[in-house]
Amino acid sequence: MKSPSHTPRIDCFLPYGSKEQITTLCGTLENSGLTGSIYILYHSDMDHSVAERYNSLHIDHTFSTQTIKEIARHCKAEYCLFYHKTLPLDLGFHALDRLLRVADDTQANMVYADHTGRNETCQTAYRLSERQSARRFRLRAFDFNPYGIPESLR
């Protein structure tokens, strides 16, 4: 829950899949107490109740240069969370806190974590590097600008 002295540290950019998917995900992020603005990225029609509650950005393609520039232009918080899937996201215990701690401590431009995938019957761990030991949640930090976004747009 957000405290009165809450300073948003993360602006979130999430793709629209369905009203249920986006409402659940936005609720999880809002309850973290770390998020500022939440932007819903959509290609086509979006439920009106979602559009009224959150900021929305009409995009041509999730990974297009124009979309990345729009995200950079709209992000006003210290950090940007760009989730590019419409699958449910189950954040681990204090996951955003841990990502922020790594980003702060390393002064990295990009931080990411391993993830798990689910289908109807099972859950599978996907390590981002097969050489990593089998830890459920491993953080990695990078000091680079992967999209060449100028400082003035970040």
Side-chain angles (χ1 to χ4, degrees):
M1 195 63 134
K2 294 180 183 179
S3 69
S5 62
H6 169 74
T7 302
R9 298 201 59 205
I10 306 169
D11 280 348
C12 304
F13 296 84
L14 316 168
Y16 181 79
S18 70
K19 178 181 177 181
E20 295 76 25
Q21 166 262 337
I22 207 70
T23 304
T24 302
L25 180 52
C26 290
T28 299
L29 293 169
E30 288 172 330
N31 288 335
S32 74
L34 298 169
T35 57
S37 298
I38 295 179
Y39 291 87
I40 309 304
L41 309 174
Y42 69 99
H43 303 289
S44 56
D45 293 337
M46 179 170 55
D47 188 282
H48 293 294
S49 64
V50 172
E52 291 171 1
R53 183 164 180 194
Y54 301 103
N55 300 307
S56 57
L57 293 175
H58 187 267
I59 60 171
D60 56 348
H61 186 273
T62 305
F63 298 108
S64 73
T65 301
Q66 188 59 38
T67 297
I68 300 302
K69 286 180 178 180
E70 282 297 307
I71 289 171
R73 190 170 70 78
H74 283 84
C75 186
K76 303 297 182 218
E78 185 178 0
Y79 294 102
C80 171
L81 182 147
F82 175 42
Y83 184 62
H84 59 83
K85 296 184 178 188
T86 57
L87 300 172
L89 177 64
D90 183 21
L91 293 172
F93 186 69
H94 291 291
L96 292 180
D97 293 307
R98 290 183 285 162
L99 286 169
L100 284 173
R101 185 168 300 155
V102 169
D104 289 341
D105 291 349
T106 62
Q107 305 230 333
N109 289 330
M110 181 177 153
V111 180
Y112 70 89
D114 291 343
H115 66 284
T116 58
R118 279 186 249 174
N119 64 24
E120 299 80 31
T121 59
C122 67
Q123 182 169 325
T124 306
Y126 294 102
R127 289 191 302 276
L128 296 172
S129 169
E130 288 304 314
R131 295 185 183 144
Q132 295 174 354
S133 63
R135 285 185 58 192
R136 183 181 178 286
F137 191 78
R138 178 176 294 274
L139 301 173
R140 289 286 177 230
F142 293 92
D143 185 19
F144 69 97
N145 184 353
Y147 300 107
I149 299 171
E151 283 289 326
S152 62
L153 292 177
R154 288 191 270 157

